[in-house]
């Protein structure tokens, strides 16, 4: 089982503006998709979150899968 987290960036706040979401239905969905290619994870999560694919990113860090939401704006 892969640990998963969703990171949400706050525009203009820099790295200190990143919040972790580590509970809820979005995280359950991300966990189900964790074995899929990054491109598919972004597609599925963008539909679920109703956000453009370009605002999402996938990160693999030491056994943790993180979905970045809006990290490009920080």
């Amino acid at each position: 089982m892969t640990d998963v987290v969703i990171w949400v960036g706050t525009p203009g706040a820099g790295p200190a503006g990143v919040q972790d979401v580590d509970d809820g239905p979005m995280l359950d969905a991300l966990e189900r998709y964790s074995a899929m290619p990054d491109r598919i994870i972004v597609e599925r999560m963008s539909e679920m979150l109703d956000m453009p694919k370009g605002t999402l990113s996938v990160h693999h860090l030491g056994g943790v899968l993180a979905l970045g939401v809006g990290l490009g704006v920080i």
Side-chain angles (χ1 to χ4, degrees), residues 53-66:
K53 294 175 195 169
T55 61
L56 306 179
S57 55
V58 176
H59 309 269
H60 301 272
L61 307 163
V64 174
L65 171 69

Side-chain angles (χ1 to χ4, degrees), residues 3-7 30 41 57-61 64-68:
D3 288 329
V4 295
V5 65
I6 297 176
W7 292 334
L30 181 59
I41 294 171
S57 55
V58 176
H59 309 269
H60 301 272
L61 307 163
V64 174
L65 171 69
L67 178 71

Side-chain angles (χ1 to χ4, degrees), residues 2 15 18 21-22 46 49 54 74:
T2 302
V18 177
V21 176
D22 58 7
S46 72
L49 295 167
I74 63 170

